[in-house]
Amino acid sequence: MNYCSDCGHSVSQSIPPGDNRPRHVCDRCGTIHYQNPRIIAGCLPVLGDRVLLCKRAIAPRIGYWTLPAGFMENGETTEQAAARETLEEARAQVSIGELYTVTSIIHANQVQMLYLAELKTPEFGPGEESLEVELFTEEEIPWEDLAFQTIHNALRFYFEDRRNNRFPLRHLELDTPRGKYMAC
């Protein structure tokens, strides 16, 4: 950040009184510009024994498979964001269920929240951000072509939990990118 969004003057980094971290502070009006993690909301849509995945048409990880998810917008709940992202990316209507995974993606300053969801109908297709959208059984999941570690984790948990018929909330932390996977 170079300029204040309030007055347009230059900013510098300093630790404001009563704070403990460097922040961008306007040199003229004193406005403190906080930069906080972004929320990613999505879901794990299920129809019978199959999970709906989207092949990404946008960076990062074009051509790799993911669950429908994206950045939350102002004025919506995380559940609404998850349903909206599913409609946008997979043209699918879902019933949002319980919160399933919360992942702090520290290196990317993001928090991903994935909900369990049921497809309302077997109707879906690629939206603007997807090349393809398909339903997969556990055996058909393209494990080597998943876009993100968070998606790999959620799918592994889901199939394990489905066998036990118990779906606990999972809290996870990713501090650095792992292998080919990146944060969302």
Side-chain angles (χ1 to χ4, degrees), residues 119-177:
L119 282 172
K120 292 182 179 181
T121 67
E123 298 169 12
F124 55 86
E128 287 186 26
E129 297 180 2
S130 301
L131 298 170
E132 299 174 47
V133 179
E134 288 186 40
L135 285 167
F136 294 92
T137 64
E138 180 177 8
E139 296 76 27
E140 297 168 334
I141 296 286
W143 294 104
E144 295 302 314
D145 293 324
L146 295 177
F148 308 113
Q149 182 67 46
T150 57
I151 303 308
H152 188 273
N153 292 344
L155 289 169
R156 285 280 183 214
F157 292 144
Y158 173 73
F159 290 116
E160 177 184 319
D161 293 342
R162 189 174 71 177
R163 283 189 283 282
N164 299 324
N165 197 30
R166 187 175 162 270
F167 300 89
L169 175 61
R170 311 276 186 149
H171 291 262
L172 305 156
E173 179 182 302
L174 291 177
D175 196 12
T176 58

Side-chain angles (χ1 to χ4, degrees), residues 32-49:
I32 301 168
H33 298 276
Y34 295 94
Q35 294 180 322
N36 301 104
R38 295 167 291 172
I39 304 288
I40 298 165
C43 69
L44 198 154
V46 176
L47 182 65
D49 67 341

Side-chain angles (χ1 to χ4, degrees), residues 76-125:
E76 67 183 356
T77 66
T78 53
E79 294 93 337
Q80 290 168 335
R84 176 186 51 76
E85 286 291 339
T86 304
L87 186 58
E88 289 176 2
E89 294 180 10
R91 296 187 181 169
Q93 298 278 338
V94 291
S95 295
I96 298 294
E98 295 297 315
L99 182 60
Y100 189 51
T101 64
V102 176
T103 306
S104 296
I105 309 168
I106 297 166
H107 64 276
N109 299 315
Q110 299 172 353
V111 176
Q112 183 190 68
M113 301 172 72
L114 294 176
Y115 289 85
L116 294 175
E118 291 287 331
L119 282 172
K120 292 182 179 181
T121 67
E123 298 169 12
F124 55 86

Side-chain angles (χ1 to χ4, degrees), residues 1 19 37 51 129 144 183:
M1 172 176 246
D19 205 334
V51 172
E129 297 180 2
E144 295 302 314

